[in-house]
Amino acid sequence: MRQLTRLPMRLPGTERAVAAVAGVCLLLALLLGLTPVLTSLTAHEGTTLVPSALGAPFALPSLRAVPLGSTGWAQLLCEDFAAAILVAVAALRTRRHLRRHPEARRLRRLLAGWTALIAAGGASGAWRGLVAARMVDAGPVGWLLYATTGAAFGAVWGLGLGWLPGLAALCVPDGRGRQPTPSPSGD
């Protein structure tokens, strides 16, 4: 009987930096889904609530298992879908960058992770803005304004927190370090 060897688990075509950026984005969504973190953030940084008082989505999307307060299951599913958009767009943006620039230096990798969260925050914010427009029965101009405002504030949150996935992309080894050395026997 053949013995199975342990192979490292890796999705096909997935670089380590892409997985690191996606993991940090997922961790951010999970942290924002925790009630103590959300309460502490709003209590100590009250000015972050101003855009949501105007109808824009608050922060980056949060990933939760149960609805928060009086929000229903439909709102929870839309918020969880926005968190999935956040992770997917950040991973795809980072993957695209690494495929186009495989020999990227450290600063460029940092900026790739940072801009990935900016793009992901904008995309998930646009979705959340559309959900908010649906909830208030906005007209066509309202749909456009809610989506644009959600995308803008999502990108601003991505700009503020983008250094976290940027550091994740920077700290992951890229595989350019050591080259295999040929054996002395010529094999």
Side-chain angles (χ1 to χ4, degrees):
M1 187 188 286
R2 292 174 95 187
Q3 286 189 350
L4 296 175
T5 59
R6 249 184 184 202
L7 296 175
M9 284 297 293
R10 198 176 107 173
L11 295 174
T14 304
E15 294 85 5
R16 287 184 228 157
V18 174
V21 167
V24 167
C25 290
L26 182 62
L27 182 64
L28 282 172
L30 285 170
L31 280 175
L32 287 171
L34 296 174
T35 304
V37 173
L38 190 62
T39 304
S40 175
L41 178 66
T42 56
H44 295 297
E45 296 296 327
T47 55
T48 59
L49 292 174
V50 172
S52 61
L54 301 173
F58 174 70
L60 294 173
S62 59
L63 191 59
R64 301 180 161 277
V66 294
L68 175 67
S70 64
T71 59
W73 287 98
Q75 179 72 24
L76 172 74
L77 292 175
C78 289
E79 190 74 9
D80 288 349
F81 183 69
I85 290 173
L86 179 84
V87 173
V89 169
L92 290 173
R93 168 72 176 86
T94 306
R95 182 173 183 240
R96 177 181 174 263
H97 171 79
L98 292 176
R99 293 274 169 105
R100 291 185 74 185
H101 307 285
E103 298 296 321
R105 300 275 184 233
R106 297 174 61 82
L107 179 64
R108 192 165 187 143
R109 291 170 63 95
L110 172 78
L111 291 175
W114 202 318
T115 58
L117 188 61
I118 293 171
S124 63
W127 166 256
R128 294 169 73 205
L130 290 173
V131 170
R134 172 66 179 100
M135 290 176 67
V136 298
D137 289 329
V141 174
W143 281 75
L144 178 67
L145 289 176
Y146 272 102
T148 305
T149 306
F153 282 108
V156 167
W157 275 91
L159 182 66
L161 295 175
W163 60 274
L164 292 168
L167 282 178
L170 181 68
C171 293
V172 172
D174 58 357
R176 287 185 292 165
R178 294 179 20 192
Q179 300 295 330
T181 55
S183 65
S185 64
D187 291 332

